[in-house]
Amino acid sequence: MKVGRNEPCPCGSGKKYKHCCLAKEEAESPEELAWRRVRRAIDGLASALLRTANARFGPTALDEAWEEFNLWEADEPFDYETPYLQVFMPWFLYHWLPEPEETEVPVEAHGEVAARVHLRTAGKRLDPLAARYIEAALGVPFSFHEVLACTPGRSIRLRDVLIGTEAEVMEASASKHVEAGDLLYAKVVPIEGIAMLEGCSPVALPPVAKPEILAAREKRALSHAFPRRGVRRGPRRRALLPLGQGAHRRRARRPGERHRQPRGPLSRTPRLARTRCREPVPCRA
């Protein structure tokens, strides 16, 4: 939505737009202007998607998703104060669907993720740019990304370790805490000619973790080329399961408990996110 010159500035300063951010924006690059347009359009979107998720899935959904995020080894129920919120919440909103056999979510809500439901039901109330952002975010999975270059306070150049694509990500906060060679587990959304971080692991992995990620990729490719006999490969396998905080541990199954196979090609390597890390990587401060 275009802001008029004499309207209050969207930054909240109380000044007119022409006396505040307009001059700054006119001096900014096309990429920075696109970033500002997208940020304005998706302001409050995560909260709206969460309301849709709660209405669609019911009160137990967050705890069920949190259990799966941790490969069913969570010691505590979901807490909004978790340091993994910035990777868990985008996965929950854009990727999570309940387990049909073990869920309290109504059957009619099993077929669509929360973001897709919001896109369908919000209709004309949804900003067109926000709608395009949701579509773009629905089309990309979480993946491991190598930092190729970094401009602190502005952007990060990333290469997807799994498929080799590169993107210049506009990200003010995370760009201050990473350096070339680091690895980020993130969801990179292409939109309006730029790329944005929708979700990112709370820690950066050092370069020594890359061989293990590549080994997991090769193992996954080999398992697809030569599937084991008798293994059922249903249509609802997740592209990537985010890195849960307790997923490197394994516990014995309780009596009568059904075996739950972690879904996703890298679901057995999340311990990478807890090792050899320097400091938290905030996104969208």
Side-chain angles (χ1 to χ4, degrees):
M1 181 182 297
K2 183 176 178 59
V3 181
R5 292 174 55 86
N6 292 312
E7 293 180 8
C9 186
C11 75
S13 65
K15 300 178 182 179
K16 289 184 178 181
Y17 181 49
K18 65 182 179 181
H19 295 312
C20 190
C21 290
L22 177 60
K24 297 178 185 177
E25 293 183 2
E26 288 177 343
E28 290 175 336
S29 67
E31 293 80 12
E32 290 170 327
L33 290 174
W35 182 87
R36 289 189 180 277
R37 286 197 302 272
V38 176
R39 288 297 299 137
R40 282 199 293 263
I42 65 175
D43 184 39
L45 180 60
S47 297
L49 292 177
L50 184 57
R51 289 193 295 270
T52 297
N54 290 334
R56 176 74 171 180
F57 297 134
T60 66
L62 273 172
D63 284 334
E64 288 184 22
W66 182 245
E67 279 286 319
E68 183 174 344
F69 178 82
N70 285 280
L71 303 187
W72 300 278
E73 295 175 356
D75 298 324
E76 300 292 338
F78 172 72
D79 184 347
Y80 282 99
E81 297 300 318
T82 174
Y84 296 91
L85 187 68
Q86 64 191 36
V87 64
F88 167 75
M89 193 56 69
W91 173 74
F92 172 65
L93 297 174
Y94 288 95
H95 299 281
W96 184 77
L97 286 173
E99 287 279 355
E101 299 177 11
E102 300 185 6
T103 183
E104 296 181 28
V105 174
V107 175
E108 60 271 17
H110 289 189
E112 286 184 299
V113 298
R116 180 67 65 188
V117 174
H118 187 77
L119 192 62
R120 174 172 54 81
T121 59
K124 294 182 179 179
R125 294 181 289 110
L126 189 62
D127 185 292
L129 182 52
R132 294 198 297 275
Y133 182 88
I134 294 175
E135 284 283 9
L138 284 167
V140 293
F142 278 89
S143 187
F144 287 99
H145 299 267
E146 180 181 9
V147 177
L148 301 179
C150 182
T151 305
R154 185 181 184 276
S155 64
I156 314 171
R157 185 72 183 176
L158 297 177
R159 177 194 291 134
D160 191 315
V161 175
L162 302 182
I163 60 177
T165 57
E166 296 185 11
E168 186 77 20
V169 177
M170 304 295 293
E171 176 55 56
S173 298
S175 60
K176 299 176 183 178
H177 297 267
V178 297
E179 57 189 39
D182 283 347
L183 297 165
L184 297 177
Y185 187 71
K187 183 179 178 68
V188 177
V189 179
I191 180 75
E192 296 290 290
I194 60 173
M196 301 178 68
L197 281 184
E198 173 56 31
C200 181
S201 58
V203 289
L205 308 180
V208 294
K210 186 175 179 180
E212 190 171 349
I213 297 172
L214 293 175
R217 181 188 66 178
E218 296 304 319
K219 183 177 179 181
R220 178 65 174 176
L222 188 63
S223 70
H224 275 291
F226 302 100
R228 291 173 296 171
R229 295 183 62 185
V231 176
R232 182 173 64 88
R233 299 185 180 276
R236 281 192 50 211
R237 295 178 66 88
R238 308 289 202 278
L240 279 173
L241 188 67
L243 306 186
Q245 60 183 19
H248 61 288
R249 302 190 302 271
R250 291 290 178 268
R251 61 165 172 79
R253 274 180 278 165
R254 302 184 182 95
E257 182 180 14
R258 182 175 68 87
H259 173 65
R260 288 161 165 171
Q261 177 65 35
R263 290 167 294 183
L266 297 175
S267 60
R268 293 193 179 277
T269 62
R271 53 195 167 85
L272 289 171
R274 299 282 290 180
T275 59
R276 306 181 295 276
C277 302
R278 289 195 316 275
E279 57 183 329
V281 179
C283 27
R284 284 195 197 170

